[in-house]
Amino acid sequence: MTEHELRVSKIENGTVIDHVTGGQSLNVLSILGIDGTEGSVLSIAMNVPSGRLGRKDILKIEDRELSQEEVDVLSLIAPEATINIVRDFEVIEKSRVERPSHVRGILSCPNHSCITSSGEPVTPKFDVLPTGVRCAYCGTILRENLAEHLAKPS
Amino acid sequence: MDRRHLITTGELSRAEIEAILARATEIDEGADADISDFLLGLLFFEPSTRTRLSFEAAAKRLGGDVVDLGAVEASSVEKGETLADSVRVLEGYCDAMVLRHPREGAARMATEFVNIPLINGGDGAGHHPSQTLLDLYTIQKHHGLDGLTIGILGDLKYGRTVHSLATALTKFDADQHFISPESLRLPRDIRFDLHEGGATVREHTSMEAILPLLDVLYVTRIQRERFPDENEYRSVAGQYRIDEAVLADASDDLIILHPLPRVDEIDPAIDETDRAKYFEQSHNGVPVRMALLELLMEGSR
Ligand SMILES: [Zn+2]
């Protein structure tokens, strides 16, 4: 067993998110709304050498099984991420993140004169395009640096 | 046809556009158009005379009337109640509403809060679909919409009439040329829509080479505030000004449209020529908006 496998398989119950784009793990946590105050054990390995990605991050979230819907939004910043659901130290389910058709409340619109950035009671919503995302209100297309437009947690 | 709102021209099918234009033609030729007990709400958060008056005239010619929230200054919008509240209040007073707002996406958002038909009367640098319908009506009358070569000139970045027109024209067999200074070229999302619509986006910084090809030249205003300094603005504005000399190489049949108001981008001497169709275009707003209101009200009743 390689050292890498040890690192990702050692939790008893929970979710292991592997193959996260190097350096994006804190953004992944922010999208998932996990900040450590929930009390569950959380481990992060950042910039681990990876054959496929060069550098990757690995997250282990104990005692929480993330749903496909929850993890699909991660595809926007970590398109190669794999999700391992662990029970009794065994990976019982392994899946790739898939691009959702739209995301709500995850990103804010980069257009400062968009109606969603003016204190109206609406949640920013983006349609997901083959490359990038598009504000469902003003139509602005966002392709690069999506992580810079993550909505501030409220 | 069951259409509830009109927010962008992208959501209109070719058949819907043709139906509205055909109905506008009938109305223009004297057909009966009547919606009894109809009240149109006008909610304008930006100054407008033409669009507002044109909708008002359309509503009244249909036997209806308007309730007008009055001119609301953009600056007071920021401090006052939310748009979501304003539209919900106005909804109680009318059967359909027209919304103009300085922010992009305002009309789209407003549809989430009301159940009556809502027309986007202009949302910031976004869209202005009812203007496009009267632009298309005018073009169709003089040229037809298929086999058309059109040049769209001026502020293509912030020009909402341009965004709506260019998007709508992808549904027809139209060759579109876009002429603007580099800093005011079409925004990425509109270029994306045009590509999706199957159009080839041909962009130019000067109109010389393509002017002889054009059937229609659609001129828009370049605003002073889009430029960092007066000199740069003057040089650009001068470069895109339309006068007899500029038009020397144009086809005899070329017509000139402008969504108005114009400042000095078209020489007044052009007004007297057969090319100038911008006042007629503006008058066409009434029958076209009557046809649009009729369609939306049919869908909602
Ligand atoms: Zn937006």
Side-chain angles (χ1 to χ4, degrees), chain B residues 198-215:
Chain B
T200 311
V201 180
R202 299 180 187 85
E203 298 178 285
H204 315 267
T205 51
S206 119
M207 71 187 122
E208 267 169 38
I210 49 129
L211 185 67
L213 309 173
L214 303 181
D215 304 306

Side-chain angles (χ1 to χ4, degrees), chain B residues 202-257:
Chain B
R202 299 180 187 85
E203 298 178 285
H204 315 267
T205 51
S206 119
M207 71 187 122
E208 267 169 38
I210 49 129
L211 185 67
L213 309 173
L214 303 181
D215 304 306
V216 175
L217 180 60
Y218 191 93
V219 184
T220 65
R221 190 169 136 206
I222 292 178
Q223 288 174 296
R224 164 70 189 89
E225 56 266 36
R226 305 290 181 220
F227 290 88
D229 70 82
E230 185 76 21
N231 284 343
E232 202 182 326
Y233 163 69
R234 285 195 179 284
S235 108
V236 167
Q239 206 186 323
Y240 294 97
R241 188 164 192 271
I242 305 299
D243 59 22
E244 290 281 15
V246 168
L247 295 176
D249 291 334
S251 139
D252 289 345
D253 298 328
L254 172 81
I255 60 166
I256 298 174
L257 301 185

